[in-house]
């Protein structure tokens, strides 16, 4: 049947594919909200019943340019019509130009492309281990990470993640990781001294510039500046996981710019492709030691993903979205603080950078983030918790002043309903 005849056919009501049909076929790895999303435009999405939502989840800090953005529609269409996948046996301009953009807009000199945040972190872990073996002469290298961190769901990255709930029942875990409390320099120095007195010497420190999943907790400048000094003194590597906070979300291109330091290695994924799966691991030339055969990915950096990510990166720059992130972020923080004052004892703090903001519930109160998220979704605002006591606001970076105002009004109503 030709596309024309298909279009002329009278619309047949397709039987509704229900959420229980879905659950019959899809593994239950997620506790999903009972909402089936069908389409989106800008910062709004619509469900299968035609209900409209303001989307302050953005695919978990991923849809940089919102939904159905013409820039992305054009980039996707152009690239799929031209060439979408070739493997890494050959060169492609798109991969090279994306690497160039990332290098020119960060402290890194080189990029490796993959498909997700976890995979980017796996690459960083492998690079740090090779560096330990071949440059530092450490044969049982340890990578120090933080409590409440989040680095992904592969075996190495759940091990790197300093949260036992992600590791339960998946042992034996990958050896070579050690955890310290975040933003606590004394604990870090003690851990390094302790480990260095054993065979399991420290080869790298891996942190988020701002902990996303772990509660939207910003890193402290003094802490990270001291980490940088320690790494320089010892010649070990500082790896920053920029998967959630990078790509403009913090109001700077990269989260580390808020801390006044530069990492040796950093990773990106979520916002990089604006929702098209892509990850990247970047490093300085001083630790650019991978050689052909050391690391690879079949899909990694294909012309499709790179062509779209390049369009996202260029739009971020050309539309001066960093300024919007900073202004809308300030507006959101001020709005949430004003709402917080109306419900004393409910909200402990509003924190974050740019457009990654956490509304922290009072630890003494019984209220949990999922209750507020549910109440907000009933009022037409999509949000995502970052732990049991923090509600995360991560809208597309193109969000307008009106949309921020609307979200704040919804939070006001939601808190009135549940507080
Ligand atoms: C989401 C996230 C990851 C994992 O990314 P995936 O694409 O889900 O593998 C890693 N690190 C941080 C900081 C993240 O927020």
């Amino acid at each position: 049947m030709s596309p024309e005849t298909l279009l002329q056919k009278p619309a047949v009501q397709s039987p509704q594919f229900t959420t229980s049909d879905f659950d019959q076929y899809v593994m239950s790895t997620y506790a999903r909200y009972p909402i089936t999303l069908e389409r989106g435009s800008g910062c709004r999405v619509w469900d299968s019943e035609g209900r409209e939502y303001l989307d302050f989840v953005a695919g978990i800090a991923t849809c940089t340019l919102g939904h159905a953005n013409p820039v992305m529609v054009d980039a996707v269409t152009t690239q799929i019509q031209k060439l979408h996948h070739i493997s890494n046996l050959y060169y492609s301009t798109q991969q090279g130009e994306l690497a160039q953009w990332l290098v020119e807009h960060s402290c890194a000199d080189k990029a490796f492309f993959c498909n997700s945040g976890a995979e980017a972190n796996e690459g960083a872990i492998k690079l740090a281990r090779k560096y330990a073996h071949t440059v530092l002469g450490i044969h049982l290298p340890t990578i120090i990470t933080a409590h409440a961190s989040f680095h992904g769901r592969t075996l190495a990255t759940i091990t790197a993640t300093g949260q036992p709930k992600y590791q339960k029942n998946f042992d034996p875990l990958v050896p070579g990781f050690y955890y310290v409390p975040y933003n606590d320099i004394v604990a870090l120095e003690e851990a390094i001294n302790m480990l260095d007195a054993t065979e399991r010497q420290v080869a790298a420190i891996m942190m988020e510039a701002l902990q996303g999943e772990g509660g939207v907790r910003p890193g402290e400048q003094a802490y990270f500046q001291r980490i940088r000094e320690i790494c320089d003194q010892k010649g070990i590597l500082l790896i920053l996981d920029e998967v959630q906070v990078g790509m403009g979300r913090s109001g700077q291109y990269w989260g580390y710019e808020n801390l006044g330091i530069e990492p040796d290695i950093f990773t990106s994924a979520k916002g990089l492709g604006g929702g098209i799966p892509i990850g990247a691991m970047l490093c300085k030339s001083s630790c650019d030691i991978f050689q052909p055969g050391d690391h690879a990915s079949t899909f990694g950096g294909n012309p499709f993903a790179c062509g779209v990510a390049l369009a996202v990166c260029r739009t971020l720059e050309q539309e001066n979205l960093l300024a919007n992130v900073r202004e809308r972020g300030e507006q959101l923080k001020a709005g949430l603080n004003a709402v917080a004052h109306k419900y004393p004892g409910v909200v402990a703090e509003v924190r974050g950078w740019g457009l990654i903001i956490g509304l922290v519930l009072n630890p003494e109160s019984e209220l949990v983030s999922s209750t507020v998220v549910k109440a907000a979704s009933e009022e037409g605002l999509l949000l995502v918790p970052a732990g049991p006591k923090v509600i995360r606001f991560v809208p597309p970076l193109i969000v307008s002043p009106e949309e921020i105002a609307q979200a704040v009004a919804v939070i006001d109503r939601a808190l009135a309903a549940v507080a």
Side-chain angles (χ1 to χ4, degrees), residues 121 145-167 173 177 179 206 241:
N121 288 333
T145 67
H147 291 306
S149 58
F150 185 80
H151 299 296
R153 300 297 203 117
T154 61
L155 268 176
T157 58
I158 58 167
T159 312
T161 295
Q163 299 192 57
K165 68 172 179 181
Y166 293 114
Q167 302 168 341
L173 297 174
F177 291 91
Y179 316 97
M206 178 170 174
D241 178 344

Side-chain angles (χ1 to χ4, degrees), residues 60 115-121 149-154 157 161 208 210-213 241-245 267 269-270 278 392:
I60 315 191
N115 312 288
S116 68
E119 215 188 328
N121 288 333
S149 58
F150 185 80
H151 299 296
R153 300 297 203 117
T154 61
T157 58
T161 295
E208 291 158 90
L210 171 153
Q211 290 190 327
E213 308 289 321
D241 178 344
E242 293 268 353
V243 169
Q244 188 157 168
V245 72
T267 55
K270 289 192 166 81
I278 182 167
R392 184 168 20 165

Side-chain angles (χ1 to χ4, degrees), residues 210-212 214-218 244 329 332-333 336-337 340 347-361 369 383-387 389-395 411:
L210 171 153
Q211 290 190 327
V216 190
R217 191 172 296 117
Q244 188 157 168
L332 179 58
K333 253 190 182 168
L336 292 176
N337 274 316
V347 178
E349 191 189 351
V350 176
R351 68 186 178 208
W353 294 335
L355 285 174
I356 178 160
I357 301 292
L359 182 80
V360 186
L361 299 173
S369 50
L383 294 168
V384 58
K389 284 289 187 179
V390 182
I391 300 132
R392 184 168 20 165
F393 295 73
V394 283
I411 277 295

Side-chain angles (χ1 to χ4, degrees), residues 128 142-146 180 185 188 192 202-207 223-224 226-228 230-231 234 236-241 263-265:
T142 298
I143 298 176
I144 294 185
T145 67
V180 295
I185 199 67
L188 178 68
I192 294 173
V202 179
I205 298 170
M206 178 170 174
M207 298 266 167
Y223 179 65
F224 276 89
R226 183 71 192 118
I227 292 181
R228 182 66 271 175
I230 293 170
C231 289
K234 303 179 69 66
I236 64 175
L237 301 176
L238 173 56
I239 305 170
L240 288 184
D241 178 344
D264 302 294
I265 301 173

Side-chain angles (χ1 to χ4, degrees), residues 126-137:
K126 282 179 68 177
L127 184 59
R129 284 188 170 188
K130 183 174 181 190
Y131 191 86
H133 287 282
T134 62
V135 179
L136 300 175

